[in-house]
Amino acid sequence: MEYMPLLIMGILLMAVSVPNLLGNVRTVHRHNRRRVSQEDMPAYSRMMGIGTMVIGASVAVAAGLLMLSGQEAFYWIIAAGCVAGLAVMAFAQFRYNGGLF
């Protein structure tokens, strides 16, 4: 049960990503989307949602595996998921916003 907060955090991250996957960009900070055109807004939102979902899913999967086995070696799943999710988000920022800020 010591990994339950980690599991809850992963589930919450996945829940936060659902509006973005559906095209609602309001959960992304305004300064991160100020140069995104209106026609690119749905695609940008989906990319940000995918990145958040990847991070949340990796945290939830790692928490589940840690709860089942108790081995600390599963933390690499979180690291890999965070790198992959942040890469997708950075790609969306550069492609649709023209830069990170």
Side-chain angles (χ1 to χ4, degrees), residues 5-17 48-64 77-78 80-86 89:
L6 199 59
L7 180 64
I8 292 170
M9 185 177 76
I11 291 170
L12 285 175
L13 278 171
M14 289 190 298
V16 166
S17 71
M48 295 302 274
I50 289 170
T52 308
M53 180 66 79
V54 167
I55 294 171
S58 70
V59 171
V61 166
I77 295 173
I78 297 173
C82 286
V83 168
L86 289 173
M89 291 172 150

Side-chain angles (χ1 to χ4, degrees), residues 9-57:
M9 185 177 76
I11 291 170
L12 285 175
L13 278 171
M14 289 190 298
V16 166
S17 71
V18 171
N20 284 349
L21 289 171
L22 298 176
N24 184 356
V25 77
R26 291 185 185 254
T27 58
V28 179
H29 293 283
R30 185 178 308 248
H31 66 271
N32 286 338
R33 58 183 162 94
R34 68 177 166 224
R35 290 185 281 171
V36 179
S37 67
Q38 286 297 339
E39 65 237 13
D40 288 338
M41 214 46 97
Y44 172 75
S45 178
R46 279 191 298 275
M47 293 288 284
M48 295 302 274
I50 289 170
T52 308
M53 180 66 79
V54 167
I55 294 171

